């Protein structure tokens, strides 16, 4: 018995923020952003729009494609670092929003690797037979934790959500492997210091701008290339396939130069590497499911193809999965 993606959907907010607009907000240029990151524009959620709102929109599309009813969903797993609230979990809001009354729901916090961590957990639930149908989502409103006065970070991030519905199948489809890794000793390279139990919200934390993402981009860059390459290699090895068997690799969209570095290391030609960073920037846990949805709808992937998803992010965390569609 394998596991099949029976439905997939994604959603990004309507508002587009271009590099030209950012030029008016901080000391930056379209030329710098484009050459250093590959990003041309990103989507920004409305003040009234939360992460679960984006997740619900993506999930409804996935449910429609899967041709199931929400009450058939046994579990909802949301990868996010921008939850609606500390609690209830964003997954609980999604359960309510889509009316999946039979689903158990929880979030996982693994930053940009959150969707792949979610797929990995879902795979084990399905293999063990505990659940039959699982909705896995990567959703973020990073714009809400971005310091719009910090040019080092504000040009990078965007908002969006992607969702898949996984179900056991007797077809050839399967999640052939997953591979996950973590290094908590490097957590201070990418984090948000305020709002948790270490620095609860106060006038002081607001004054010190602790409720925004802090990042040491340059140090992360090198680790990202290394860890994403290793994660992809491990997942490919565990799956028992060769690089030539891969139709497409969908890497986390943090920086076009990171993606190129990973592709070079894996000796994959550019036509086998999916990129949409130019349109959305880095949407953390949402990049890989949004990209997978786009790759399928653009006809770059079809039933039976092998796709590799690989991500890296705060924690530090990393992970990869090999899927035969
Ligand atoms: O999502 C998963 C985790 N995230 C990542 O893996 C992100 C990894 N890091 C990166 O993508 C890149 O390091 C960045 C895009 C964040 C930065 O690119 P970089 O090539 O590493 O630049 P840098 O940080 O070394 O900065 C180079 C210069 C600096 O100026 P000086 O000190 O050389 O005068 C920066 O101040 O670029 C300057 N700079 C900017 N200039 C114009 C930094 N941000 C900007 C900006 N516009 N927005």
């Amino acid at each position: 018995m394998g596991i099949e993606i029976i439905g997939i959907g994604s959603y990004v907010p309507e508002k587009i923020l271009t590099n030209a607009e950012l030029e008016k907000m901080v000391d930056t240029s379209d030329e710098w952003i484009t050459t250093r990151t590959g990003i041309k524009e990103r989507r920004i959620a409305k003040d009234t729009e939360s992460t679960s709102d984006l997740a619900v929109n993506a999930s409804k599309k996935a449910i429609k494609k899967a041709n199931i009813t929400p009450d058939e969903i046994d579990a909802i797993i949301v990868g996010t670092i921008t939850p609606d609230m500390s609690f209830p979990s964003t997954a609980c809001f999604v359960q309510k929003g889509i009316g999946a009354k039979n689903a158990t729901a929880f979030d996982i916090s693994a930053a940009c690797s959150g969707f792949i961590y979610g797929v990995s957990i879902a795979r084990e639930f399905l293999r063990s037979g505990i659940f039959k149908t699982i909705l896995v989502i990567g959703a973020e409103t990073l714009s809400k934790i971005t310091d719009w006065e910090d040019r080092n970070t504000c040009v990078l991030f965007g908002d969006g959500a992607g969702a898949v519905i996984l179900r056991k199948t007797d077809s050839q489809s399967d999640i052939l492997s997953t591979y996950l890794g973590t290094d908590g000793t490097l957590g201070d390279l990418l984090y948000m210091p305020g709002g948790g139990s270490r620095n609860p919200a106060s006038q002081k934390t607001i004054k010190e701008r602790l409720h925004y993402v802090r990042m040491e981009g340059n140090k992360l860059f090198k680790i990202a290339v290394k860890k994403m390459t290793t994660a992809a290699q491990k997942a490919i090895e565990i799956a028992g396939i060769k690089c030539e068997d891969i139709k497409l690799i969908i890497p986390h969209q943090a920086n076009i130069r990171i993606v190129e570095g990973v592709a070079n290391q894996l000796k994959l030609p550019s036509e086998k590497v999916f990129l949409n960073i130019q349109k959305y920037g880095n949407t953390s846990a949402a990049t890989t499911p949004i990209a997978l949805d786009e790759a399928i709808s653009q006809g770059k992937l079809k039933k039976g193809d092998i796709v590799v998803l690989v991500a890296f992010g705060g924690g530090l965390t990393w992970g990869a999965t090999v899927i035969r569609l």
Side-chain angles (χ1 to χ4, degrees), residues 185 277 298:
T185 66
I277 191 171
Q298 290 169 13

Side-chain angles (χ1 to χ4, degrees), residues 30-39 151-152 155-156 215-226 228-229 251-266 268 273-278 281-282 312:
D30 174 46
E31 201 264 333
W32 191 95
I33 303 170
T34 307
T35 54
R36 297 289 183 125
T37 72
I39 302 165
R151 71 172 183 173
N152 291 295
V155 301
L156 304 172
M215 185 174 93
E216 289 208 40
N218 206 275
K219 283 187 190 156
L220 276 177
F221 190 102
K222 291 162 203 143
I223 307 169
V225 175
K226 213 186 277 174
M228 289 221 289
T229 303
H252 171 50
Q253 313 277 310
N255 187 317
I256 196 168
R257 294 182 295 133
I258 294 177
V259 172
E260 285 165 358
V262 173
N264 277 342
Q265 299 277 317
L266 295 173
L268 282 173
V273 183
F274 191 82
L275 273 172
N276 62 3
I277 191 171
Q278 64 283 2
N282 180 351
F312 167 86

Side-chain angles (χ1 to χ4, degrees), residues 16 28 70 139 149 169 179 186 189 202 210 275 282 287 309-310:
I16 296 173
T28 190
E149 293 178 12
T169 176
Y179 174 82
L186 298 173
L189 295 182
S202 67
L210 300 191
L275 273 172
N282 180 351
T287 71
L309 270 49
V310 56

Side-chain angles (χ1 to χ4, degrees), residues 77-91:
I77 305 175
V78 178
T80 188
I81 47 161
T82 47
D84 286 30
M85 300 177 188
S86 287
F87 71 92
S89 70
T90 302

Side-chain angles (χ1 to χ4, degrees), residues 17 22 25-26 42-44 142-151 153-159 209 212:
L17 179 67
L22 275 167
M25 295 162 62
V26 288
R42 66 289 290 146
R43 299 300 180 103
I44 305 294
L142 290 176
S143 65
K144 314 239 179 188
I145 59 164
T146 294
D147 185 345
W148 292 103
E149 293 178 12
D150 175 15
R151 71 172 183 173
T153 52
C154 77
V155 301
L156 304 172
F157 303 123
D159 302 335
R209 309 183 82 74
Y212 296 126

